[in-house]
Amino acid sequence: MRSPNERKRNMPALGFKATDLAIALAAFLATSAHAQSTEAGGSSAESDAAVLTDIVVSEDPLASIANETTGSSIGFAKPILDTPRSVSFVSSEQIQLLGISSVDDLTRVVPGTFTTTRYGLQGGINVRGVAADMYFRGMKRINMQGHARTSLAAMDSIEVIKGPPSPIFGMGKIGGYSNLTPKSGRAKIGTYLEQAQGFAQVVGGDYMKSEISAGAGGPMTIGNKTGGYYVYGLLEDSESYVKKVGVTQRIIQATSTLDNFIGPFRLEVGTQAQNSITSGAYMNRVTQRLLDDGIYISGQPLINLDRNGDGAIGFKETHEMSPIKGNVGGSNRPLNQTFAWPMCNGVPCQPDEFPKIAGIPETMYNYLEANPTLDPDRYLRNQGIGGPVPTSGQLPIGFVLDPRTVQQVKVDQRRNGAFETEQNARLAVIYADLVYDADPDFQLKNQFFHDFLDSYKNSYLPYGEKQDIHLWEDKITATYRIPDEKLPEWLRINTLASVNYRETFGKITSSGGDYDYRQDVMFNNGNHYPNTIFWNWLDNPSYDTGAPTTVVRDSTFSEMGVGTMFDIDFFTNTNLVLGARWDNSKAEANDYDRFNENASNAVNGGVWLPQRTTRSWDDGTSWSVSLSQKLPGGIRPYITKALSSVALDGANNIIVYETVNAPGGHIGEAELLEYGVKGSWLQDTLFFTLSHFKQTRTDISSASDPTASAEVSSTETKGIETELKWSPVPNASIQAYALFAKAKYIIPQSGTYEFNGRDLGFQDVLDDNGNVIYPAEAFLYGGRVQMTIPTAILEQYNARNGSPETQLGLNMNYRFRNGVGVLLGGNWFSSTYSDRLEMLKIPSSTTINGAVTYDVGKWHLKVNGYNITDERIFRARNSDTGTNLVSVMPRVRYEFTVKLDF
């Protein structure tokens, strides 16, 4: 029997253990002792070398970054002020002071990183409203999806680059990418510390926040070779704002460098391993009244689908207890029905003008007639048979809620429906670089990178998932500056060339789908019970009693590319950057034997679809042109035009069969046009940037293109972005940003949309006094319905909704002489629709955050308050195909941090 509290696991769960701390501290102390007894190599530690990082960090965490060097935006190491792209930089001090540990936290300081959620989890970072790539030390990682929490606290710096990647980085997404840099034992000036240094930190707070981390780094000597190391570990075992959803993380990160490892080449090696155990959840049964007034439609399904009493609902049980009319098909299943779009005066009705049809479903009417005690006053039966009817001709009985249990109540926002039992992901990266940079005019680097994700997702729904994604890449990059004596006095040229090979493999096995609305979060303390618990293939793959696999798929695709760039200065103040790249890719996609739950005889022995395989080759070109000019007064206008090739894989890095088979190939194109101005004044204490951008996926021309739904997003986004950093005095700073952006679909891409009962045309059932006793939505919450949006309607609703069109951020910091510091910041996000047809409007939100710090000697104390005005804040999910689900963001919460440096 399946229990809501005890779940079978097909892979080991790696949870938080008390021994983890003991092991981590023992390793830390042993490492520190060994490092301190090791004779340090290299030159003496200068002040810049006192920071164990590849990034120079100023004393003020929010001070100007105009002269900070970035190599992640266009390939050449250039100050951000001179980089002809919109780039945001977050230092280690900002990460620490602002409490940046998750993707949502990044939104407080970086414009354009507002990220919608995938089952409440923000694994990847959106940039400018669309999914973006994530790099680790300049090498592209696996997509984080919503399968693991991205821990930014483990990073020493974060760069966010807007728009497609430079040609030197290979194929990438439209919106942009983030580059995460871990701590290392080598300072940017190339020296090592004289002795080991480290820290230990504890974080506690609301929702049982419990996190410990420690790090240590220093010099090392192997034979006659000098180097440095850094080791970092983090353990977390916390609850979260959403009840039933916990957060357990274990992260270990180690980096090491060794000079003259092979001849003049420096060796840089490292790894990061993470185990993230959590679960996703959405608030279900969402209506406009829930968002505005907090009113939830409570009620449990009328029919018990767990016929055999084993504690969960199997595939065959849904057909037996909620029978359909006619043959099984994709649009006709016991808990999944399709409706035809209604017509008004010969044309498709507008979404908010669907005809209201009196009556209740025939199956419900007949059931109540057979069981009159369920409707003692005949309020429902007096409505007669009616209401909207699906294309199958009958709404199955499993859709409707029990009228005895239906009521409208004040919601507890911490109770979310459709929560998973466990999302267990194991991630790891390994890198090894050989670097020659002793000659400032010639550098050579070979980078090897391996990344993998092994994830397991179990839930109370028919959907269960196991994924195995891994990739490896090797890239060689050479930079050569043409000697000045070989060029005219007014000309300087720096060149760069790169060649790489990358191979990505992904496999997924899953079953069924999601029935997110059956659970009543205000019933049974928010817990599931047998009539809302389904078997999936992870727990019971049996056709007779459980849920067989419906997806068994994998793909392998390679990326082989070569690129070159030129950084040209004319007369000192004019800069031209040119780049070009060619990529070639081989892809193979396989669908293996899997159950066809949509087959007409699915309940009479079933049909297993046969294996199918397809392969293809494709290629693509990328190029970029950037022009900038240094003007008097510290002003630098620039313009960038770029075209980038895009691999058309999904959110899980798998290229599906249809995409590999697509006539246009599995490589698409994205285009960027950006122009703006940057400025730095008052001895670089005031930095300002303003940019206008337009980014588009350009290779889509037809709604029938099978690649239109690839994760690269078939959209066009236009906007204006501005950012300001000002440090008027050494102990005070101000940072502000504003983003105004709109995104739209570039074709009327066909698709389905989920309606609730009211929007579809059902009517409320009233008692004799006119009180609503059965809301229209309650007719459908037991299952899910959809309809195909007509092209004529799609053309009217082409906005890509979910991200606020206006986003504002402000952070102010002041440090007193006595060691006390204060921080005050906030964000304002405009209202936005959650869905394509603009039926549900998420209110605007204002979030105020604050912090008080105290530094004395090597001790650092900090109290952070988030959303201190206790605002109710909602966020759209990562799909805009319906209105029934949103993420509820945390209310007011506080965290306390104690850190010791030694």
Side-chain angles (χ1 to χ4, degrees):
M1 180 173 180
R2 187 175 189 182
S3 165
N5 298 316
E6 297 180 4
R7 305 299 301 275
K8 176 183 175 183
R9 291 170 174 164
N10 286 7
M11 66 176 289
L14 302 179
F16 177 93
K17 300 178 181 178
T19 53
D20 287 337
L21 175 58
I23 294 171
L25 290 177
F28 168 73
L29 294 174
T31 302
S32 299
H34 170 74
Q36 291 175 9
S37 64
T38 302
E39 183 178 354
S43 61
S44 61
E46 301 177 32
S47 59
D48 284 335
V51 180
L52 301 176
T53 171
D54 284 334
I55 299 296
V56 173
V57 180
S58 58
E59 291 182 359
D60 189 339
L62 300 183
S64 172
I65 57 166
N67 292 319
E68 182 60 51
T69 300
T70 172
S72 304
S73 52
I74 60 175
F76 293 104
K78 297 170 73 72
I80 289 179
L81 181 63
D82 296 335
T83 300
R85 289 283 289 272
S86 181
V87 180
S88 296
F89 178 83
V90 184
S91 69
S92 60
E93 273 85 349
Q94 285 177 281
I95 295 172
Q96 174 72 18
L97 177 62
L98 299 174
I100 296 174
S101 62
S102 69
V103 171
D104 183 57
D105 297 329
L106 195 61
T107 307
R108 300 203 296 267
V109 292
V110 178
T113 56
F114 183 95
T115 301
T116 53
T117 64
R118 186 177 188 271
Y119 264 86
L121 294 176
Q122 298 165 312
I125 299 173
N126 285 9
V127 177
R128 289 177 174 172
V130 296
D133 290 318
M134 184 180 294
Y135 285 70
F136 189 85
R137 299 179 67 259
M139 302 292 278
K140 187 164 68 173
R141 290 206 65 179
I142 289 171
N143 286 346
M144 291 296 100
Q145 313 172 56
H147 290 136
R149 295 179 182 270
T150 298
S151 178
L152 301 180
M155 296 299 113
D156 197 77
S157 70
I158 305 166
E159 287 179 87
V160 179
I161 298 92
K162 319 301 171 57
S166 162
I168 212 66
F169 290 111
M171 297 188 285
K173 292 187 174 67
I174 303 169
Y177 54 100
S178 56
N179 185 45
L180 311 183
T181 302
K183 302 177 189 298
S184 75
R186 183 175 187 270
K188 188 174 182 180
I189 59 175
T191 60
Y192 300 100
L193 298 174
E194 292 184 334
Q195 61 183 8
Q197 295 185 4
F199 79 94
Q201 177 176 283
V202 177
V203 181
D206 287 330
Y207 313 126
M208 299 300 292
K209 175 75 173 182
S210 177
E211 176 186 298
I212 59 174
S213 60
M220 65 180 183
T221 301
I222 299 179
N224 61 349
K225 303 182 188 301
T226 60
Y229 70 92
Y230 197 92
V231 180
Y232 171 88
L234 179 147
L235 300 172
E236 179 180 6
D237 187 16
S238 306
E239 295 180 6
S240 72
Y241 178 73
V242 178
K243 297 175 181 178
K244 318 295 183 185
V245 173
V247 179
T248 300
Q249 292 191 89
R250 295 195 293 177
I251 298 174
I252 183 69
Q253 185 172 282
T255 63
S256 178
T257 62
L258 193 63
D259 289 341
N260 302 314
F261 179 71
I262 299 177
F265 284 87
R266 180 176 68 255
L267 174 67
E268 298 181 355
V269 296
T271 185
Q272 183 194 72
Q274 177 183 359
N275 177 216
S276 172
I277 303 175
T278 183
S279 53
Y282 280 129
M283 175 60 70
N284 68 354
R285 302 186 183 182
V286 177
T287 63
Q288 194 65 54
R289 193 179 181 200
L290 185 146
L291 298 186
D292 296 340
D293 305 319
I295 302 300
Y296 182 83
I297 298 174
S298 177
Q300 296 88 60
L302 176 61
I303 299 296
N304 179 19
L305 301 182
D306 181 22
R307 179 186 58 80
N308 62 11
D310 64 357
I313 303 164
F315 168 78
K316 289 185 69 175
E317 285 178 310
T318 63
H319 284 271
E320 293 165 354
M321 303 304 295
S322 181
I324 63 172
K325 181 179 182 179
N327 293 326
V328 179
S331 61
N332 186 22
R333 287 159 49 196
L335 299 179
N336 200 316
Q337 291 285 307
T338 297
F339 286 72
W341 195 280
M343 304 296 287
C344 296
N345 300 318
V347 298
C349 297
Q350 290 297 310
D352 59 351
E353 296 178 354
F354 281 19
K356 305 302 179 183
I357 303 173
I360 66 175
E362 181 179 4
T363 53
M364 184 183 192
Y365 182 90
N366 293 337
Y367 191 84
L368 295 178
E369 280 289 313
N371 300 274
T373 57
L374 301 177
D375 182 30
D377 297 317
R378 296 191 62 89
Y379 286 129
L380 280 96
R381 286 173 287 166
N382 286 343
Q383 308 302 310
I385 296 173
V389 178
T391 56
S392 67
Q394 175 182 285
L395 185 73
I397 189 65
F399 275 81
V400 300
L401 300 186
D402 185 341
R404 298 170 300 176
T405 65
V406 172
Q407 54 184 324
Q408 299 184 71
V409 299
K410 199 72 174 177
V411 71
D412 179 351
Q413 289 188 184
R414 294 193 62 195
R415 294 186 185 180
N416 276 207
F419 59 85
E420 302 159 349
T421 58
E422 182 177 85
Q423 171 64 65
N424 191 326
R426 293 179 292 187
L427 310 90
V429 298
I430 301 171
Y431 68 87
D433 300 350
L434 288 173
V435 182
Y436 170 75
D437 56 7
D439 183 348
D441 293 329
F442 177 73
Q443 294 92 39
L444 183 63
K445 179 189 296 187
N446 183 88
Q447 296 172 277
F448 175 82
F449 184 75
H450 182 263
D451 192 7
F452 81 84
L453 164 68
D454 180 12
S455 74
Y456 161 95
K457 178 192 290 187
N458 203 345
S459 73
Y460 293 111
L461 302 173
Y463 189 80
E465 174 190 275
K466 178 75 170 63
Q467 288 195 114
D468 176 23
I469 316 293
H470 58 83
L471 64 83
W472 69 271
E473 180 177 3
D474 194 78
K475 179 165 64 176
I476 300 173
T477 306
T479 304
Y480 175 67
R481 177 176 293 280
I482 299 176
D484 291 344
E485 57 268 22
K486 295 183 179 181
L487 298 171
E489 217 175 74
W490 49 270
L491 183 66
R492 297 196 76 196
I493 301 177
N494 199 6
T495 65
L496 187 152
S498 178
V499 59
N500 80 301
Y501 180 85
R502 178 184 178 95
E503 187 169 286
T504 303
F505 170 83
K507 181 177 182 179
I508 181 172
T509 305
S510 64
S511 63
D514 294 333
Y515 302 117
D516 299 304
Y517 323 124
R518 288 181 66 82
Q519 183 201 4
D520 178 357
V521 303
M522 298 306 295
F523 171 72
N524 194 30
N525 197 31
N527 290 307
H528 279 273
Y529 60 100
N531 200 22
T532 63
I533 299 175
F534 290 81
W535 289 115
N536 61 54
W537 79 277
L538 292 167
D539 295 308
N540 184 357
S542 165
Y543 166 78
D544 291 318
T545 62
T549 57
T550 56
V551 173
V552 185
R553 170 184 299 149
D554 68 30
S555 75
T556 303
F557 65 97
S558 61
E559 303 170 56
M560 300 159 281
V562 57
T564 185
M565 298 194 72
F566 298 89
D567 182 11
I568 308 170
D569 289 325
F570 299 95
F571 301 102
T572 305
N573 292 329
T574 303
N575 179 252
L576 177 67
V577 179
L578 305 172
R581 180 182 181 85
W582 175 79
D583 283 286
N584 187 274
S585 174
K586 178 184 179 181
E588 176 181 315
N590 299 286
D591 284 320
Y592 299 96
D593 293 348
R594 66 269 183 215
F595 180 68
N596 182 8
E597 60 184 342
N598 297 322
S600 59
N601 63 340
V603 292
N604 298 311
V607 172
W608 290 80
L609 297 173
Q611 179 177 342
R612 58 178 183 172
T613 299
T614 186
R615 302 176 181 86
S616 71
W617 283 85
D618 199 6
D619 62 3
T621 57
S622 306
W623 55 263
S624 66
V625 178
S626 299
L627 181 66
S628 60
Q629 179 71 35
K630 295 181 182 179
L631 298 178
I635 298 174
R636 289 166 174 77
Y638 71 91
I639 182 171
T640 293
K641 175 79 171 178
L643 181 75
S644 177
S645 296
V646 181
L648 301 179
D649 54 339
N652 55 8
N653 289 112
I654 295 175
I655 297 184
V656 298
Y657 181 95
E658 291 75 14
T659 297
V660 176
N661 248 4
H666 60 273
I667 295 180
E669 290 181 345
E671 187 177 85
L672 170 72
L673 174 63
E674 179 179 321
Y675 52 88
V677 60
K678 298 183 179 184
S680 180
W681 304 279
L682 304 178
Q683 297 181 328
D684 292 331
T685 61
L686 175 61
F687 175 75
F688 175 79
T689 179
L690 173 68
S691 63
H692 179 275
F693 61 89
K694 174 184 175 183
Q695 55 194 39
T696 313
R697 181 177 170 192
T698 59
D699 63 308
I700 293 290
S701 60
S702 169
S704 62
D705 190 323
T707 72
S709 60
E711 208 216 3
V712 293
S713 179
S714 308
T715 58
E716 175 185 274
T717 305
K718 295 180 180 180
I720 296 174
E721 179 181 295
T722 184
E723 189 172 9
L724 179 144
K725 294 175 183 284
W726 183 32
S727 185
V729 293
N731 58 340
S733 57
I734 300 172
Q735 180 187 35
Y737 77 76
L739 175 71
F740 310 93
K742 291 186 177 183
K744 67 177 183 180
Y745 290 99
I746 58 179
I747 57 169
Q749 180 182 336
S750 61
T752 58
Y753 184 91
E754 284 194 72
F755 283 87
N756 63 37
R758 183 177 305 280
D759 295 335
L760 194 61
F762 284 98
Q763 293 185 342
D764 293 334
V765 177
L766 311 178
D767 64 13
D768 294 334
N769 297 318
N771 300 312
V772 176
I773 61 169
Y774 200 88
E777 293 87 351
F779 288 108
L780 299 179
Y781 278 153
R784 62 191 308 169
V785 302
Q786 63 277 322
M787 58 175 58
T788 299
I789 308 175
T791 301
I793 299 296
L794 284 171
E795 291 173 344
Q796 300 174 49
Y797 293 89
N798 64 354
R800 178 60 172 96
N801 293 315
S803 293
E805 293 184 352
T806 301
Q807 303 173 27
L808 307 177
L810 174 67
N811 286 287
M812 300 177 291
N813 177 61
Y814 187 84
R815 294 180 177 179
F816 296 93
R817 295 180 181 273
N818 60 2
V820 175
V822 293
L823 170 76
L824 184 65
N827 295 89
W828 184 82
F829 299 133
S830 64
S831 61
T832 180
Y833 289 101
S834 71
D835 59 300
R836 175 80 177 261
L837 299 180
E838 301 182 354
M839 304 288 283
L840 185 74
K841 192 171 187 178
I842 295 178
S844 61
S845 63
T846 301
T847 308
I848 305 298
N849 307 302
V852 177
T853 64
Y854 180 63
D855 301 317
V856 53
K858 295 183 178 182
W859 288 94
H860 309 279
L861 310 179
K862 177 166 64 81
V863 177
N864 284 88
Y866 306 104
N867 190 12
I868 57 180
T869 55
D870 200 25
E871 296 293 317
R872 296 169 61 244
I873 301 172
F874 304 95
R875 186 162 294 188
R877 57 176 177 160
N878 65 340
S879 169
D880 61 355
T881 57
T883 63
N884 291 313
L885 300 171
V886 300
S887 288
V888 181
M889 307 308 290
R891 301 285 288 267
V892 59
R893 67 193 193 281
Y894 294 92
E895 290 180 1
F896 182 75
T897 303
V898 179
K899 181 183 179 185
L900 172 64
D901 293 327
F902 50 88

